[in-house]
Amino acid sequence: MSFASEDIRKLQSRMDEVEQKIRDLTLEQGANQQQIKSYETEIEGLARQIEKHRMSENRQEQVQRRIMATEDAIARLKKVQEGLGQLFRLQLEKRIQEIFSQILFTPYVPRLNENYELMLEDTMAGQPTSVAASTGENQILSLSFIGAIIDRIREWSKGKSGILMPESSTFPIVMDSPFGSLDEIYRRQVARAIPVLANQLVVLVTKTQWRGEVAEEMADRVGHQYVLTYYSPKPDCQEDAIALGSGQYPLVRLSSNLFEYTEIIEVERQG
């Protein structure tokens, strides 16, 4: 009987140990599962970060490709711009030379450098030599330059250059006293040349500049003609007038109200 009780106690003790072990294992299993969940959550977070970095790298690569494509496009556009600029300058120089040679009789040739600076060269000595331009030659150079620019742009606007521009564009020229520093021969040459430089030409001249050869060359090309009459408040002003067509038009008159002003009078066209 005593042996049976002792065995029961041993078995009970063993069972208690096993149950405690089971509880310990259960607690450990719960802790392990919690740790596993924590690790899984951390793994998911790390996976998201990895994916985010991969996407960021992809975006950076895409941005880098776009930057490279943009830089390549800029380089190509610069080459096109340089080519067109060089072509325009050479065409402009050629047209300047044509206009200049039509007006001037000297053997000088205008040159246009890369900075669009005009200079004259004497080519008769075999070796081109730079020469200083006189006042009249500088004036003709300026007229040739302006006329050539208008002419080139007018040609480009027609689409001959391949550059898209408005087809109906007109480019007028306004000239103030273009004959002032020229002698009689060059006055006639300039008066003959400038009307064909632009679709519309406005010329401001004095009474003496419109005389003789200028009037002879330009009269048939005039669409509208106006006289600017100056009214002077000075009581001793010397009045002046100009004969145009069949009429006399005042240039300087005494102001009746003591104010200084200018009146624009249209010249009546004959016929």
Side-chain angles (χ1 to χ4, degrees):
M1 186 71 176
S2 60
F3 289 110
S5 298
E6 185 177 353
D7 290 339
I8 290 172
R9 285 195 300 271
K10 289 181 179 180
L11 290 173
Q12 184 65 45
S13 176
R14 180 60 179 166
M15 187 177 67
D16 292 340
E17 291 177 0
V18 171
E19 288 178 350
Q20 183 62 41
K21 189 66 174 179
I22 291 173
R23 285 194 296 270
D24 292 341
L25 291 174
T26 301
L27 291 174
E28 185 178 355
Q29 183 181 14
N32 290 338
Q33 288 178 347
Q34 186 65 33
Q35 188 68 31
I36 289 171
K37 289 182 179 179
S38 177
Y39 286 152
E40 288 176 347
T41 302
E42 185 176 356
I43 289 172
E44 290 177 358
L46 292 173
R48 285 194 296 269
Q49 290 183 22
I50 291 172
E51 184 63 24
K52 184 177 180 180
H53 284 300
R54 285 177 179 172
M55 293 177 62
S56 178
E57 289 178 359
N58 291 336
R59 283 196 296 268
Q60 289 178 1
E61 291 177 358
Q62 187 178 30
V63 169
Q64 188 63 33
R65 288 194 298 269
R66 289 177 178 175
I67 291 174
M68 293 175 63
T70 302
E71 290 176 345
D72 180 66
I74 291 173
R76 292 175 184 270
L77 288 174
K78 284 184 177 180
K79 288 183 179 180
V80 172
Q81 182 185 25
E82 291 173 0
L84 289 176
Q86 178 73 358
L87 176 63
F88 180 80
R89 186 177 63 83
L90 293 177
Q91 291 178 341
L92 183 63
E93 181 184 65
K94 181 180 178 182
R95 184 58 180 144
I96 291 172
Q97 293 170 354
E98 292 172 353
I99 297 173
F100 189 81
S101 63
Q102 291 173 4
I103 300 174
L104 210 65
F105 301 116
T106 59
Y108 300 153
V109 177
R111 296 295 182 190
L112 190 66
N113 64 21
E114 294 181 355
N115 296 323
Y116 284 80
E117 297 171 338
L118 272 174
M119 59 193 71
L120 283 180
E121 287 185 353
D122 186 353
T123 59
M124 295 301 294
Q127 183 73 19
T129 305
S130 296
V131 294
S134 65
T135 302
E137 288 168 344
N138 273 326
Q139 187 166 351
I140 295 174
L141 266 178
S142 299
L143 292 175
S144 302
F145 181 75
I146 295 171
I149 288 178
I150 296 295
D151 183 72
R152 287 297 87 204
I153 295 178
R154 183 168 52 189
E155 289 298 314
W156 280 37
S157 69
K158 294 178 182 178
K160 293 183 178 180
S161 64
I163 304 299
L164 297 178
M165 297 183 69
E167 295 181 358
S168 60
S169 296
T170 56
F171 303 93
I173 297 180
V174 179
M175 294 184 174
D176 186 5
S177 302
F179 310 100
S181 303
L182 304 176
D183 59 23
E184 180 179 344
I185 295 178
Y186 288 138
R187 282 161 52 87
R188 182 179 296 277
Q189 293 296 103
V190 170
R192 186 178 298 167
I194 60 176
V196 299
L197 297 182
N199 297 328
Q200 183 182 12
L201 178 68
V202 179
V203 180
L204 303 176
V205 293
T206 62
K207 178 181 178 179
T208 55
Q209 288 179 0
W210 185 249
R211 68 190 176 192
E213 60 279 351
V214 173
E216 291 174 7
E217 294 295 336
M218 299 187 69
D220 293 339
R221 296 178 177 270
V222 173
H224 296 278
Q225 195 170 11
Y226 301 87
V227 172
L228 302 181
T229 302
Y230 171 70
Y231 287 83
S232 173
K234 295 179 62 176
D236 59 344
C237 76
Q238 183 177 353
E239 296 189 347
D240 193 12
I242 184 173
L244 295 172
S246 58
Q248 285 279 339
Y249 295 87
L251 293 175
V252 180
R253 298 189 67 176
L254 177 64
S255 175
S256 60
N257 54 19
L258 300 181
F259 287 103
E260 180 185 31
Y261 62 97
T262 299
E263 181 183 9
I264 301 176
I265 303 174
E266 184 172 5
V267 176
E268 295 182 2
R269 301 182 64 180
Q270 292 181 324

